[in-house]
Amino acid sequence: MLLTVGVAASVHLVERHLDLIGSGTDPKRAPGTAARMLARPMVLTTATTAAGFLALSTNSIPAVRRFGWFAAFGVAVAMAWALLVVPSLLRLFVRVDRHGRRRAPRRVAPASSPASPFAAWREPSRS
C-alpha cells in the first residue's frame, strides 16, 4: 500500500512537470512549479491517509497498532520524498530541447547488430 501511495504521488508530479514543459514553462522551473502546484493536495491526501492508519492505535492487538504507526510514518516519508527529492531528479534526468519538447532517449543498437559494442563478443558464424 505504501509503495502504491508513494509511486502515485511521484507519477502525478512527473506528469504535471511534463504538462508544464509542454505548455511552455521554462524546463528548469517546471519541477519546482509542479511541486508547488501539487503540494497542498499531496499534504491533504497524506494527512487523511495517515489519520486513517493512526486510527489503528486504538486496536488492542500490539502488532496492528505498530502497523498503523509505521504505515502513517511511511505515507509521510513517501510524500516528503515526492515533494523534496523527485523535483531534483527531474531537473537532473529529464532533458528537453530548446523548444521545450522532451528529447527522445538515445536508441541502442541491438546486441546482434554489427553496430553494437557487443558485436565483437559474438562467436564467429559457422558457414
Side-chain angles (χ1 to χ4, degrees):
M1 169 156 229
L2 296 178
L3 183 61
T4 303
V5 170
V7 169
S10 297
V11 167
H12 284 297
L13 191 62
V14 169
E15 286 299 317
R16 180 63 54 99
H17 169 258
L18 294 175
D19 287 344
L20 286 169
I21 288 175
S23 68
T25 302
D26 178 25
K28 295 202 184 295
R29 291 179 176 242
T33 303
R36 281 190 299 281
M37 290 172 78
L38 293 175
R40 184 174 182 198
M42 288 173 72
V43 168
L44 293 174
T45 301
T46 299
T48 57
T49 305
F53 281 124
L54 288 174
L56 295 174
S57 297
T58 61
N59 196 297
S60 62
I61 302 170
V64 173
R65 281 196 311 262
R66 278 192 300 264
F67 169 75
W69 298 334
F70 283 120
F73 176 73
V75 169
V77 168
M79 187 265 314
W81 176 273
L83 284 176
L84 301 174
V85 176
V86 171
S88 299
L89 295 175
L90 289 172
R91 278 187 196 95
L92 289 174
F93 295 113
V94 175
R95 300 288 179 221
V96 293
D97 64 13
R98 61 189 175 93
H99 301 292
R101 294 180 301 231
R102 223 172 133 204
R103 283 192 222 156
R106 269 194 263 164
R107 296 194 46 93
V108 178
S112 61
S113 166
S116 168
F118 299 108
W121 292 359
R122 289 187 297 167
E123 290 184 32
S125 61
R126 297 179 195 223
S127 325

